[in-house]
Amino acid sequence: MGCRFDRHVHGKKVIVVTNTTIAPLYLDKVVEALTKGNPAVSVEYVILPDGEKFKDMDTLMKVFDKAIESRLDRRCTFVALGGGVIGDMCGFAAASFLRGVNFIQIPTTVMAQVDSSVGGKTGINHPLGKNLIGAFYQPQCVLIDTDTLDTLPDRELASGLAEVIKYGLIRDAEFFEWQEKNMEKLIARNPNALAYAIKRSCENKAEVVSLDEKESGLRATLNLGHTFGHAIETGFGYGQWLHGEAVAAGTVMAVDMSYRLGWIDSSIVKRVDDILLRAKLPTAPPETMTVEMFKSVIAVDKKVADGLLRLILLKGPLGNCVFTGEYDRKALDNTLSAFCKS
Amino acid sequence: MGCRFDRHVHGKKVIVVTNTTIAPLYLDKVVEALTKGNPAVSVEYVILPDGEKFKDMDTLMKVFDKAIESRLDRRCTFVALGGGVIGDMCGFAAASFLRGVNFIQIPTTVMAQVDSSVGGKTGINHPLGKNLIGAFYQPQCVLIDTDTLDTLPDRELASGLAEVIKYGLIRDAEFFEWQEKNMEKLIARNPNALAYAIKRSCENKAEVVSLDEKESGLRATLNLGHTFGHAIETGFGYGQWLHGEAVAAGTVMAVDMSYRLGWIDSSIVKRVDDILLRAKLPTAPPETMTVEMFKSVIAVDKKVADGLLRLILLKGPLGNCVFTGEYDRKALDNTLSAFCKS
């Protein structure tokens, strides 16, 4: 956090939104960086409980309460310091407070650095589904300091790699092949390998988002494995599995379905399984998930249009995918049956 | 409601958001208009309690609950059927549901027809202040049927006229003079007079908003009297006075302050008082309001920038105003003292 923020902070008041895990590690450093060379800036903060299960309206209201008590005005800046949950909630708070104020992302997990902090998707969960309430709201800047990953738990590191692997599968075969060569380095937190993987992921995401910010089509491809993954997170209760773990299992299911449809050959199925295992990620949903649990959750997925569930599926050589509602329903049923005991 | 909506409804699912007062009067007609010539459309509805005091997060969540239970998807349309409270809440729900869906306004009060339904400001109140949480979100269309005003209570009619008078004061002297000639017709609900006043008001608002959607300056002038008015609404408890009643008293205070600053001559003060009285609107805040109540609420007003309260004040001949933080603080103090017993 040796950098300076004065280029990005417009008004004199800043609120840092963080959580109980990150605050003791980095809050002081961020406050120092925000005020260095900028002594007129006053910094407030709100420390939220840590975890996906707090990504809800009640916790969001705590951010508004603090912002209003601190008399923040339209020229203030909201800073998200934390992982994807903090970034999504702080971003939605920034989008909604006084109908929109400045917003800076400082992501501290691989997941947030390679995916959620880039592209402006913000929001909270509803008891019936993830991210159902939110806004498209772009941050003023995203500041990534890979040193923050030193304190990241192993499971969190692996979770973020699920999204790194995704970029390779949907649009960047060369990147996937690089990962196949370097997965052990990533798991061992080799700084150069991590920096390259994060940079390449951000480039992929930024390209897709700049072509389709509001997700009319192309951007949806970033959700490979996420429909099944969201069902796992919802059905299993938020916070049991990490987002990337659910996405990993969901990716295996999407790949399985793509293969059943005859759209990819078996070598891709095997390579996906292999790389996820090497990244220490699950390759099947929790045993307690039933076909019914999947079906009830995917019915309310945001990618349903006029009742038809569109999915991201692989099609063709490695690095190619489609976003479509035109597939044989039997393949979906067969995939669900194959991965569920009942 | 003889019109057809099929041009404006994109998907197959519509949710009408209305309240307990409007539903028995117009819900059936709107559902009929939505489905006529469009039999594939299914219409859900949610009927909220009526009143500004329900413009809160809990009530908003009822809209999300219904939308999610009804499995609405991104191609659905939210229809606001009611006054400003319904329009603001439904608009914010549409802005936030699945990060934004189609939105249609059917305003049923003068206030909503001349002001809140046009321009895309949406939001809810926080216990510490009005409209502190929301979004800029433009409706697909605004459908105004002046027949809906037949059932509007007299106080509500007068409340809307406060905003009509505002357009004259801030930018349209000719319109103000027309109102001086026609106020009794408006109060008597003469259809032609009402239609003209609504049309001219919408034109004024649309011009201002098209020049400054996000309120970087010009748009703020639409808030003449609103800073004092919001203080009255907040200090007095939402729902005691109608919005336009509070704005009317706030306008008198802003005009008083403009006169104390020497920015307008006394004839304008008198004409504002006269026309508000003829519109059956209050010309002073409730007697229970104290200087301290005003000060504590205006400190969190959205127009505060870096601690400085900017106000909309009249300056020059009729039809001219400024939005500024550069004024003698004594004039503000003197105005507050003049209108408060303590």
Side-chain angles (χ1 to χ4, degrees):
Chain A
M1 303 282 171
C3 63
R4 285 173 55 171
F5 286 82
D6 37 333
R7 270 188 309 145
H8 305 295
V9 173
H10 296 307
K12 293 177 188 157
K13 289 192 169 182
V14 175
I15 183 168
V16 179
V17 179
T18 187
N19 67 31
T20 48
T21 306
I22 295 299
L25 298 170
Y26 301 112
L27 181 56
D28 286 350
K29 288 178 188 166
V30 168
V31 171
E32 195 192 321
L34 283 163
T35 48
K36 196 164 69 180
N38 226 358
V41 166
S42 74
V43 182
E44 305 284 343
Y45 55 84
V46 54
I47 300 174
L48 305 176
D50 186 12
E52 179 87 26
K53 67 174 176 289
F54 298 106
K55 188 173 160 181
D56 61 10
M57 193 58 86
D58 287 345
T59 310
L60 181 73
M61 286 303 278
K62 291 194 172 64
V63 180
F64 291 127
D65 291 347
K66 180 71 185 180
I68 295 166
E69 284 161 17
S70 308
R71 310 203 157 179
L72 300 190
D73 62 46
R74 280 187 176 161
R75 282 170 52 75
C76 73
T77 298
F78 278 45
V79 174
L81 173 66
V85 170
I86 286 294
D88 284 8
M89 278 209 290
C90 179
F92 186 42
S96 307
F97 182 62
L98 310 182
R99 301 197 186 93
V101 295
N102 286 328
F103 171 42
I104 291 175
Q105 288 265 23
I106 308 179
T108 59
T109 64
V110 175
M111 175 60 72
Q113 292 177 354
V114 301
D115 186 15
S116 56
S117 71
V118 176
K121 278 197 184 179
T122 71
I124 57 172
N125 300 327
H126 184 277
L128 294 177
K130 274 177 64 83
N131 297 323
L132 295 181
I133 302 167
F136 287 100
Y137 200 70
Q138 295 296 341
Q140 188 77 18
C141 78
V142 180
L143 190 140
I144 296 175
D145 183 339
T146 51
D147 286 354
T148 58
L149 302 181
D150 294 346
T151 51
L152 193 68
D154 288 340
R155 255 183 88 187
E156 292 275 358
L157 179 81
S159 174
L161 293 176
E163 303 285 358
V164 174
I165 292 165
K166 170 195 76 180
Y167 293 114
L169 287 174
I170 61 167
R171 70 192 306 271
D172 193 343
E174 203 182 307
F175 187 29
F176 188 87
E177 283 155 8
W178 178 89
Q179 294 166 34
E180 288 183 315
K181 291 197 190 81
N182 291 278
M183 187 49 72
E184 277 66 37
K185 281 190 191 165
L186 290 172
I187 289 293
R189 304 179 191 227
N190 174 299
N192 292 336
L194 278 175
Y196 178 80
I198 291 166
K199 179 169 170 286
R200 189 83 175 235
S201 295
C202 287
E203 286 165 355
N204 269 296
K205 177 134 189 193
E207 263 179 53
V208 171
V209 172
S210 66
L211 292 166
D212 177 26
E213 185 185 359
K214 296 288 169 66
E215 194 161 320
S216 31
L218 180 66
R219 183 170 182 165
T221 62
L222 296 171
N223 288 316
L224 174 70
H226 284 57
T227 299
F228 298 120
H230 283 178
I232 293 169
E233 290 176 278
T234 306
F236 207 54
Y238 299 134
Q240 297 296 306
W241 273 26
L242 296 175
H243 177 61
E245 293 171 336
V247 167
T251 298
V252 172
M253 294 174 75
V255 169
D256 175 85
M257 190 173 149
S258 307
Y259 177 67
R260 285 175 198 273
L261 289 164
W263 293 357
I264 54 172
D265 70 43
S266 62
S267 71
I268 294 182
V269 180
K270 181 162 186 330
R271 288 170 77 179
V272 172
D273 244 56
D274 286 349
I275 200 163
L276 291 171
L277 287 171
R278 286 169 61 202
K280 306 196 188 301
L281 284 162
T283 55
E287 296 201 345
T288 49
M289 287 295 294
T290 64
V291 171
E292 209 31 62
M293 285 161 80
F294 274 104
K295 286 196 168 170
S296 69
V297 175
I298 63 188
V300 295
D301 187 272
K302 283 194 289 298
K303 286 177 290 296
V304 171
D306 289 334
L308 179 68
L309 175 66
R310 293 172 294 169
L311 285 170
I312 297 93
L313 298 164
L314 302 189
K315 194 168 191 175
L318 187 71
N320 290 282
C321 71
V322 290
F323 171 48
T324 182
E326 291 177 25
Y327 52 78
D328 187 340
R329 288 290 169 281
K330 255 193 242 158
L332 174 57
D333 289 338
N334 290 340
T335 292
L336 291 178
S337 302
F339 284 92
C340 299
K341 286 192 176 160
S342 62
Chain B
M1 303 283 170
C3 66
R4 284 172 54 169
F5 286 83
D6 38 331
R7 271 188 308 146
H8 305 294
V9 174
H10 295 309
K12 292 177 189 158
K13 289 192 169 183
V14 175
I15 183 168
V16 179
V17 178
T18 188
N19 66 32
T20 48
T21 307
I22 295 299
L25 297 170
Y26 301 112
L27 181 56
D28 286 350
K29 287 178 187 166
V30 168
V31 172
E32 194 192 323
L34 283 163
T35 48
K36 196 164 72 181
N38 226 357
V41 166
S42 74
V43 181
E44 307 283 344
Y45 55 86
V46 54
I47 300 174
L48 304 177
D50 186 11
E52 179 88 25
K53 67 174 176 289
F54 299 105
K55 189 173 159 181
D56 61 10
M57 194 58 87
D58 287 345
T59 310
L60 181 73
M61 286 303 279
K62 290 193 172 63
V63 179
F64 292 127
D65 291 347
K66 181 69 187 179
I68 294 166
E69 283 162 17
S70 306
R71 308 205 158 179
L72 300 190
D73 62 45
R74 280 186 176 162
R75 284 171 50 75
C76 73
T77 299
F78 278 46
V79 175
L81 174 66
V85 170
I86 286 293
D88 283 9
M89 277 209 289
C90 179
F92 186 42
S96 308
F97 183 61
L98 310 181
R99 301 196 186 93
V101 295
N102 286 327
F103 171 43
I104 292 176
Q105 288 262 24
I106 309 180
T108 59
T109 64
V110 175
M111 175 59 72
Q113 291 176 355
V114 302
D115 186 16
S116 57
S117 71
V118 177
K121 277 196 185 179
T122 70
I124 57 172
N125 299 327
H126 183 277
L128 295 176
K130 274 177 65 84
N131 297 322
L132 295 180
I133 302 167
F136 287 100
Y137 200 71
Q138 296 296 340
Q140 188 77 19
C141 77
V142 180
L143 191 140
I144 297 176
D145 184 338
T146 51
D147 286 355
T148 57
L149 301 181
D150 294 346
T151 51
L152 193 68
D154 287 341
R155 254 183 88 189
E156 292 274 358
L157 180 80
S159 173
L161 294 176
E163 303 285 358
V164 174
I165 292 166
K166 170 195 75 181
Y167 293 114
L169 287 174
I170 61 167
R171 69 192 307 271
D172 193 344
E174 201 182 308
F175 186 29
F176 188 86
E177 284 155 8
W178 177 89
Q179 294 167 34
E180 289 184 314
K181 291 198 190 79
N182 292 278
M183 187 48 73
E184 278 66 38
K185 281 190 192 165
L186 290 172
I187 290 293
R189 303 180 192 229
N190 174 298
N192 291 336
L194 278 175
Y196 178 80
I198 292 166
K199 179 168 171 286
R200 187 82 174 237
S201 296
C202 287
E203 286 164 356
N204 269 295
K205 176 132 190 195
E207 265 179 53
V208 171
V209 173
S210 66
L211 292 168
D212 176 26
E213 184 185 0
K214 297 288 169 66
E215 194 163 317
S216 30
L218 180 65
R219 183 170 182 165
T221 62
L222 296 171
N223 287 317
L224 174 68
H226 284 58
T227 299
F228 299 119
H230 284 179
I232 293 169
E233 290 176 278
T234 306
F236 208 53
Y238 299 135
Q240 297 296 305
W241 274 26
L242 297 174
H243 177 62
E245 292 171 336
V247 166
T251 298
V252 172
M253 293 174 76
V255 169
D256 176 86
M257 190 174 149
S258 308
Y259 178 67
R260 284 175 197 273
L261 289 163
W263 292 356
I264 54 173
D265 70 42
S266 62
S267 70
I268 294 182
V269 180
K270 183 165 186 330
R271 287 170 78 180
V272 172
D273 244 56
D274 286 350
I275 200 163
L276 291 172
L277 287 171
R278 286 168 61 202
K280 305 195 189 302
L281 284 162
T283 55
E287 296 201 346
T288 50
M289 288 295 293
T290 64
V291 171
E292 208 32 63
M293 285 161 80
F294 274 104
K295 286 198 168 169
S296 70
V297 175
I298 63 188
V300 296
D301 187 272
K302 285 195 289 297
K303 287 177 290 297
V304 171
D306 288 335
L308 180 68
L309 175 67
R310 294 172 294 168
L311 285 170
I312 297 93
L313 298 164
L314 302 189
K315 194 169 192 176
L318 187 71
N320 290 281
C321 70
V322 290
F323 171 48
T324 182
E326 292 178 22
Y327 51 80
D328 188 341
R329 288 289 167 285
K330 255 194 241 159
L332 175 57
D333 288 338
N334 290 341
T335 292
L336 292 178
S337 303
F339 284 93
C340 298
K341 286 190 177 162
S342 63

